[in-house]
Each structure stands twice: as C-alpha cells, then as structure tokens.
Amino acid sequence: MRISPSFIGSTLAFTLAVGGSWAGVEAQAGSDLLGGWVIAEWEAAEGQTGPTARRGLFMFTESGHYSMMFVIGDARQPVGAEPSDADLAAAYGPFVANSGRYSVSGNSITYEAFVAKDPAYMAGFGPSGGDGNAQTMTYGVEDGILTLTFGEGGPMSGATARLRRPGAGQ
C-alpha cells in the first residue's frame, strides 16, 4: 500500500478545516507560540534510553488547532514501488503524527488529538471536550527557540524538545 504525499496533505487540510467548527476552542491571538516550528534538539526524559526525535514539524494555529509530526531516530530507508509489510513497518514505525486542538493556560499547553497515526490515540470531540486523550506540556519561547516539556502520562512523558522556526539557524 502506497500513501501519497497529496493524500497526507489533503487529509491534514480537511482536518484543520473541520476543526473550525469545534466548540470551545479559544483563539490564541498574539501568542509567540503561533506558526510552524522544526525540531532543533530533543532530549529524552531522565533514565530513558534509545533513539530520540531528529526531524519534525509542529504547528500551532490562532484558532486553537495544532499538528505535530516527527520521526524518532536517524534516517529511514525509502520504500520502493512495491514495498513489503516489513518495509512499510520500518518506514512508518518511527513516524509520529497527530493533530487536533489545544489551549494555553499560563505556560501550559493542553492538547487533544482528533486524528493520529495511532488509532488508539484519536478522540472524538464533543461540546464539552474530548474523550480522554488530553495531554499537557509546558512551553516557553526565548531568543526564537520554543521549548516544550511533555507532561506525565503520555508516550513522550518528561522529554524536552527545542524547536526553531523553519529556515532559522540551519
């Protein structure tokens, strides 16, 4: 099965368009958080070993929607024209992707995935909130660097990501 880049792009665009009607999303106007950010550095939580995220794009919109996509570990091998199941697992296993809505309170971001690569992580949104997948992280922006520290309970618990604007400081 081959997933085309245009399918991924149209799926993301649809998700963000549908997101405009979600109740309870507050605008994040004027926040330093808004826009696109790429991974500059990723630090695993204390005591964790193994690969960390090397490439990724995080986006936060004024309407209160987010998207985060990143790859854990180093370079992956491209899949051929007719990839095997093992080829697909090797290529897409370390890929993390989810999008949904977020809110900011002080220096904390609470985010809920509406769509995710992992179907067990997706949630439905009702007028009074999601159905249990909310995660929290702290953030700060200083000297053009966004620092995110993922809260307890999620798969990235305790990890710290430092992100920069695309094209800045490459």
Side-chain angles (χ1 to χ4, degrees):
M1 178 177 142
R2 186 171 186 276
I3 301 174
S4 74
S6 62
F7 173 77
I8 293 170
S10 62
T11 302
L12 179 58
F14 174 77
T15 300
L16 292 175
V18 169
S21 63
W22 290 333
V25 174
E26 294 182 24
Q28 306 298 322
S31 172
D32 290 343
L33 180 63
L34 297 179
W37 299 88
V38 294
I39 294 173
E41 181 182 336
W42 191 285
E43 191 177 307
E46 188 174 330
Q48 290 182 348
T49 60
T52 59
R54 300 278 187 238
R55 290 185 69 115
L57 175 65
F58 287 53
M59 296 184 341
F60 297 93
T61 70
E62 188 173 334
S63 65
H65 299 94
Y66 80 92
S67 178
M68 61 175 80
M69 297 185 191
F70 56 92
V71 178
I72 307 261
D74 294 321
R76 302 172 297 156
Q77 294 297 315
V79 294
E82 296 184 35
S84 67
D85 289 345
D87 292 336
L88 291 172
Y92 291 102
F95 178 66
V96 176
N98 61 84
S99 299
R101 63 183 173 190
Y102 76 100
S103 62
V104 174
S105 177
N107 71 335
S108 292
I109 300 169
T110 300
Y111 60 101
E112 299 174 280
F114 182 72
V115 63
K117 179 187 152 211
D118 177 356
Y121 187 55
M122 293 190 285
F125 292 149
S128 61
D131 56 1
N133 76 359
Q135 298 290 315
T136 301
M137 58 186 158
T138 59
Y139 86 101
V141 179
E142 187 174 323
D143 295 329
I145 300 294
L146 169 62
T147 301
L148 301 173
T149 302
F150 293 88
E152 298 300 317
M156 297 169 288
S157 180
T160 298
R162 288 175 191 76
L163 303 104
R164 60 176 170 71
R165 299 286 184 187
Q170 292 184 343

